[in-house]
Amino acid sequence: MVDVARLAGVSHQTVSRVLNGHPNVREQTRLRVRAAMEELGYRPNAAARALVTGRSQLIGVVAQNSTLYGPSSLLAAFELAASAAGFAVSVRRVRELDRSSIEAALEQHRNQRVAGIVAIAPTASANEALATVSAGVPLVTIDGDPERGAPLVTVDQEAGAYAATRHLLDAGHATVWHVSGPADWFDADGRVRGWRRALDEAGAEVPPLAAADWSAAAGYRAGQMLARMPEVTAVFAANDHLALGILRALSERGRSVPDDVSVVGFDDVPEAEFFIPPLTTIRPDFDAVAAETLGLLLAQLSGTQAAPVQRTLVPELVERRSVAPPQR
C-alpha cells in the first residue's frame, strides 16, 4: 500500500479510502490510485483487511444439494452479484433442509469468519430450522417464510400463478386444472393460492388439485390422467418441467396443444421456448432477486438496516404458442 501511495503521489490513508470505496475521495485521485495499483499489480491482503476491519469479503450461502432450476438459478445469480460487489462466495450444500444440516452449515460458515450468510430456504422445514438457530452474523433468506419476520427476498408466487390462470381464463376456458409442486415448498403453496384466487374471482369451478413434485416424470404421470378427461381444456403447471411431462402425455393420447388443451408453466427455463409448442410461462427475475438479497445483506453489514426488511418481486407472463381459445 505504501508503494501504491508513493507512485500515485498520495498518502497511504488515501489508498485505504479508495480500497474501501470511501465517498470523500476526488474522482481524479481515485483514478490515479487505481492506475498505480494496476501498474504495480497490487492486490489487497484479504486476511489482513479482515483483521483490521473486523469483516471479511466472504459471504456464506446455505443451499440444498439440488439441480432444480429455480434454486440453482438463484444461487448462480447471487454468486455473480456478490462477485461484482467485490465479495467471494462460499457455498455449503446440504442433503436435507432440516435443523441439524442447516445448523452444521451455519457453523462451518461462522468458522470461516464470513461477513454474512444467505440461506436459500424454499421449504417449511428449512424455515423452521432457521427460526431456531442463530447465524451469529447478518443473514438474509431467499424464498423463505414471510411470516417469520426476518430479512427476506422472494418471488411473488401467488401473483405469478394468478397471472397464468387469468391468462387461460381470458383465452375463454371455463376453468383451469393445476398440477402442483410439493406441499412442503412455499413456491408450490403460493402458486396454488394464486391459481385458486383467479378461479374464485372469475366464479369458475375449482377442479381437484393434481399434486406432484417438480419433475417432468411427475408431470407426465399427471398428464396421463388429465389426457383421459375430455373436460380438461386448460392446465397450469407449477413449473416448466411438469409442463414438459404434461405435453408429452397429451401428445401420446392424441390431444393437441393448444388446439385441444392449453398449457402454461412457471420458471421460463431456457428450453421452454423450444418445447413443442413453445411454452407460455411465468418468468421470475432471478438477477433482481440476487441484487435485492445482496442489498439487504450489505445494509445489515453497514448498520443502515434498523429492522428486518422483506422484498417481494412480481414475475412476468411470457406468451408463446401453448395457449389458444377452447374448441367449441
Side-chain angles (χ1 to χ4, degrees):
M1 190 182 293
V2 171
D3 292 337
V4 171
R6 185 181 299 114
L7 181 60
V10 299
S11 68
H12 72 274
Q13 291 94 336
T14 298
V15 176
S16 178
R17 284 194 286 270
V18 171
L19 286 170
N20 289 300
H22 199 283
N24 294 335
V25 179
R26 289 187 302 171
E27 187 60 23
Q28 184 179 2
T29 303
R30 190 185 308 277
L31 291 173
R32 199 162 68 244
V33 170
R34 290 292 182 188
M37 291 170 59
E38 187 68 26
E39 182 176 338
L40 294 172
Y42 174 78
R43 297 292 181 272
N45 185 315
R49 189 175 181 185
L51 286 172
V52 173
T53 64
R55 191 182 91 188
S56 73
Q57 293 298 108
L58 182 64
I59 295 174
V61 175
V62 179
Q64 189 173 25
N65 189 24
S66 167
T67 58
L68 288 171
Y69 178 74
S72 298
S73 298
L74 286 168
L75 176 56
F78 182 78
E79 287 182 299
L80 287 174
S83 177
F87 287 87
V89 173
S90 172
V91 181
R92 298 290 174 180
R93 297 181 182 272
V94 297
R95 288 187 178 275
E96 299 293 335
L97 290 169
D98 55 22
R99 173 171 177 148
S100 61
S101 300
I102 289 177
E103 196 163 24
L106 293 177
E107 178 63 21
Q108 289 173 322
H109 282 317
R110 286 193 293 267
N111 290 339
Q112 286 186 290
R113 298 187 180 278
V114 297
I117 295 175
V118 170
I120 301 175
T123 66
S125 60
N127 278 266
E128 290 167 4
L130 288 170
T132 57
V133 298
S134 171
V137 296
L139 182 144
V140 177
T141 304
I142 297 178
D143 272 357
D145 181 5
E147 300 300 321
R148 198 160 60 85
L152 167 71
V153 181
T154 188
V155 172
D156 194 331
Q157 311 293 341
E158 183 173 341
Y162 180 91
T165 308
R166 187 72 255 177
H167 182 64
L168 289 163
L169 293 172
D170 289 344
H173 295 276
T175 190
V176 178
W177 293 68
H178 181 43
V179 180
S180 72
D184 185 48
W185 283 62
F186 293 108
D187 293 5
D189 182 60
R191 294 170 198 181
V192 169
R193 290 199 309 272
W195 162 72
R196 187 170 283 127
R197 178 163 66 87
L199 294 179
D200 286 342
E201 287 184 8
E205 178 187 353
V206 180
L209 188 68
D213 56 32
W214 296 120
S215 68
Y220 178 71
R221 290 190 295 271
Q224 287 178 311
M225 174 193 70
L226 296 171
R228 293 193 291 267
M229 303 166 64
E231 67 270 26
V232 175
T233 67
V235 180
F236 164 48
N239 77 351
D240 292 348
H241 289 105
L242 286 169
L244 177 61
I246 293 167
L247 292 176
R248 162 88 181 265
L250 291 170
S251 177
E252 289 182 350
R253 297 287 299 188
R255 301 197 68 185
S256 172
V257 176
D259 295 334
D260 299 322
V261 182
S262 291
V263 179
V264 176
F266 202 115
D267 278 343
D268 194 27
V269 300
E271 302 82 6
E273 63 179 309
F274 301 104
F275 289 0
I276 301 176
L279 184 68
T280 294
T281 185
I282 300 296
R283 177 189 294 159
D285 190 338
F286 296 119
D287 291 337
V289 172
E292 290 285 353
T293 301
L294 182 62
L296 291 189
L297 194 62
L298 294 181
Q300 290 188 63
L301 291 172
S302 66
T304 59
Q305 183 176 300
V309 176
Q310 298 187 350
R311 299 270 191 268
T312 303
L313 305 180
V314 178
E316 66 172 313
L317 176 71
V318 179
E319 296 185 45
R320 295 195 178 101
R321 299 205 303 270
S322 62
V323 175
Q327 292 184 340
R328 300 299 180 186

